[in-house]
Amino acid sequence: MESLLLRVSSIAQGITSGKTTFPTLALFARYLIIQKLENIQTGHLMVVCSDGQELRFGTAASTPVELRVMSDEFWTCVLLFADIILISNRGELADGGTYVSAILSSFSGWIHPVNNPSNACLNVVAHYDVCNEMFESFLSPDMTYSCPIWNEASPDDDESLECAQLRKLHHIIRAADIQPTDHILEIGTGWGSFAIEAARTTGCTVTSVTLSKDQKETAEDRIAAEGLADKIEVLLCDYRHIPVPNVLYDKIVSIEMVEHVGPRYLETYFNAIDRLLKPDHGIAVFQSTTLPESIYQECSGSKGFINEYIFPGGHIPSATQLVTAIEKGSSGRLCLHRVEMFGPHYSRTLRIWRQNFLDNFERKIRPALRKKFPKMNARDLEIFSKKWEYYFAFCEAGFRTQVHNNVIITARRRNCMLQGEALFI
């Protein structure tokens, strides 16, 4: 049965993937999608078709947003895979999906490989090992690839992205109550920004794990440059296989890594944390992008643009799902202490990343990609650029409209008490 579904999905993907076209299907798809777009009530959308025809939907009084269709295969893609989302008209358009896309998305989600250790490694390599020079071109100098915390007292000031990222790192250090004598486990190294900042500011020791060889190499170079090689160790290791030390970890931190775990393994993930964290006074802090419960139910089981082209194997959980998995995965030994929401801080960040990416593509990113992937031609590079530009814009819109959120969750052992809390007992 699974092989049959794979074949069905493969045929459906092949309809839109290349030189063979199906004009009748494209015309049928165009008709159905136009019927769907007729339901737009908020905003003004102008669609310029490949034959030059202009179609207008929504409120003509507002300034139109132009969607230019370069190929009729666009209509087939939308019909089969619902590759277009109009957030302000979710209710009217039912998320832009069709019956066909709903069926194929369900099949695709059902047969999509789970994040077992081997697939998890391949998924990480597909994104994080693309090209370090590219990430350096759009991230701040600290190389933090997650939601920062901007200065809410002056949201329109000229604060740098690096300053906002450091504020977030310090916030997590405080949330975990990291002390100089602590041994910290970080799950998801990135390029080492948290480990470096935690060791530099508190004097703690950090063991950090990653599945990305490129990130491990770069993080170790940056750690050595800071003179912290004696304080920080980076392991190439899946979270399921982290060695249990003789003395368990005092604190565990994981920054936007849980989105790579997948729904099937969430409890396994938190069980690993429970197994590695000291039973007395242990604290764990997690940062994750989340979906509202209602939207998560709509999207669960489907595979959208981000999962297909940017983060293979990615899964954005709901906050409720995370809290439940913490409780079940730790058998109640980890207690929820605090949930903080920072979603609005991400839209500004994604806008900066997108602009940095575009500003540096020709001068830095294109040469770096050609050096690492000599077989990439001009067309490949154009597709790559547009794909990442759309990724940044797509996510920015999601956070701006609160379809996406970002949370920092602090969980503690039952008997954990921070300095000053005894005063209230």
Side-chain angles (χ1 to χ4, degrees):
M1 180 64 176
E2 185 170 334
S3 60
L4 174 61
L5 293 177
L6 277 168
R7 181 62 181 156
V8 170
S9 182
S10 175
I11 292 171
Q13 293 278 359
I15 289 173
T16 66
S17 65
K19 299 175 182 178
T20 303
T21 58
F22 295 81
T24 303
L25 178 59
L27 288 172
F28 176 65
R30 173 172 160 168
Y31 169 78
L32 289 180
I33 302 307
I34 287 175
Q35 292 297 307
K36 198 85 170 178
L37 294 177
E38 293 285 359
N39 294 318
I40 290 177
Q41 295 182 12
T42 302
H44 182 190
L45 174 66
M46 180 174 72
V47 179
V48 181
C49 301
S50 57
D51 59 7
Q53 182 183 6
E54 292 185 3
L55 305 172
R56 294 178 180 269
F57 308 95
T59 307
S62 58
T63 303
V65 173
E66 182 177 317
L67 174 65
R68 188 172 293 273
V69 178
M70 308 304 293
S71 167
D72 283 343
E73 290 178 1
F74 164 82
W75 304 107
T76 311
C77 284
V78 176
L79 174 68
L80 296 178
F81 308 112
D83 282 334
I84 184 171
I85 298 175
L86 301 174
I87 294 173
S88 296
N89 290 273
R90 288 179 60 86
E92 291 77 16
L93 299 181
D95 205 23
T98 65
Y99 290 120
V100 178
S101 69
I103 293 170
L104 289 177
S105 290
S106 296
F107 282 164
S108 179
W110 185 75
I111 62 179
H112 188 61
V114 297
N115 283 335
N116 57 37
S118 58
N119 286 332
C121 187
L122 292 173
N123 291 336
V124 165
V125 169
H127 184 87
Y128 296 100
D129 286 1
V130 169
C131 179
N132 273 339
E133 292 85 351
M134 179 190 74
F135 289 101
E136 290 171 355
S137 296
F138 70 81
L139 297 176
S140 49
D142 55 290
M143 293 290 287
T144 303
Y145 190 26
S146 55
C147 180
I149 299 177
W150 294 97
N151 182 5
E152 292 183 326
S154 303
D156 298 323
D157 66 12
D158 294 328
E159 180 179 41
S160 69
L161 175 58
E162 183 177 23
C163 184
Q165 291 289 13
L166 289 175
R167 181 181 292 109
K168 189 276 297 290
L169 296 179
H170 294 163
H171 182 85
I172 290 178
I173 290 168
R174 289 192 300 273
D177 190 36
I178 295 176
Q179 303 299 315
T181 56
D182 283 344
H183 186 187
I184 311 302
L185 172 65
E186 180 189 22
I187 303 179
T189 308
W191 289 273
S193 63
F194 172 79
I196 290 171
E197 197 63 18
R200 185 183 67 81
T201 58
T202 72
C204 70
T205 301
V206 182
T207 296
S208 186
V209 300
T210 180
L211 288 176
S212 167
K213 292 180 180 180
D214 284 5
Q215 285 190 332
K216 180 179 187 294
E217 181 179 336
T218 301
E220 288 176 333
D221 289 344
R222 298 180 70 240
I223 289 164
E226 293 287 338
L228 295 170
D230 62 327
K231 288 285 189 180
I232 304 169
E233 180 183 18
V234 181
L235 303 177
L236 198 64
C237 181
D238 187 278
Y239 68 88
R240 286 159 282 212
H241 302 149
I242 297 172
V244 179
N246 293 329
V247 179
L248 296 177
Y249 295 99
D250 298 282
K251 315 288 168 58
I252 297 179
V253 171
S254 187
I255 299 175
E256 292 193 16
M257 183 273 171
V258 73
E259 298 94 324
H260 300 287
V261 171
R264 187 177 301 189
Y265 290 104
L266 275 178
E267 290 183 25
T268 303
Y269 174 76
F270 290 111
N271 178 258
I273 287 166
D274 176 56
R275 177 170 49 87
L276 294 161
L277 185 65
K278 280 184 175 179
D280 296 321
H281 312 297
I283 299 176
V285 180
F286 316 97
Q287 182 176 10
S288 175
T289 292
T290 61
L291 288 172
E293 198 67 40
S294 59
I295 296 177
Y296 178 82
Q297 296 302 325
E298 292 177 18
C299 299
S300 61
S302 63
K303 188 171 68 170
F305 169 83
I306 299 296
N307 305 88
E308 179 73 20
Y309 298 107
I310 304 298
F311 291 110
H315 163 256
I316 300 179
S318 68
T320 303
Q321 192 177 22
L322 287 178
V323 171
T324 301
I326 290 171
E327 166 69 21
K328 291 184 176 179
S330 70
S331 298
R333 288 182 291 268
L334 272 175
C335 302
L336 183 67
H337 176 63
R338 183 186 295 120
V339 179
E340 302 169 280
M341 307 290 187
F342 294 101
H345 295 250
Y346 227 154
S347 57
R348 177 178 176 181
T349 308
L350 285 153
R351 186 168 64 252
I352 291 171
W353 285 349
R354 176 164 57 93
Q355 193 58 56
N356 288 346
F357 178 88
L358 295 174
D359 290 345
N360 290 306
F361 189 81
E362 292 299 328
R363 185 168 57 91
K364 295 181 179 180
I365 300 173
R366 181 188 289 269
L369 289 172
R370 285 203 158 171
K371 181 179 180 181
K372 187 167 184 178
F373 307 103
K375 293 185 178 180
M376 288 188 79
N377 58 34
R379 176 62 175 162
D380 295 331
L381 290 164
E382 181 186 7
I383 292 172
F384 182 92
S385 174
K386 289 183 180 297
K387 181 171 68 175
W388 276 72
E389 181 182 2
Y390 182 65
Y391 151 54
F392 290 130
F394 179 97
C395 293
E396 179 188 345
F399 284 101
R400 183 178 294 277
T401 56
Q402 299 182 39
V403 169
H404 294 131
N405 205 337
N406 193 271
V407 301
I408 294 178
I409 297 177
T410 304
R412 312 192 313 194
R413 295 301 194 190
R414 290 176 182 169
N415 55 356
C416 178
M417 188 176 297
L418 304 186
Q419 291 181 347
E421 289 185 340
L423 297 174
F424 302 99
I425 294 179

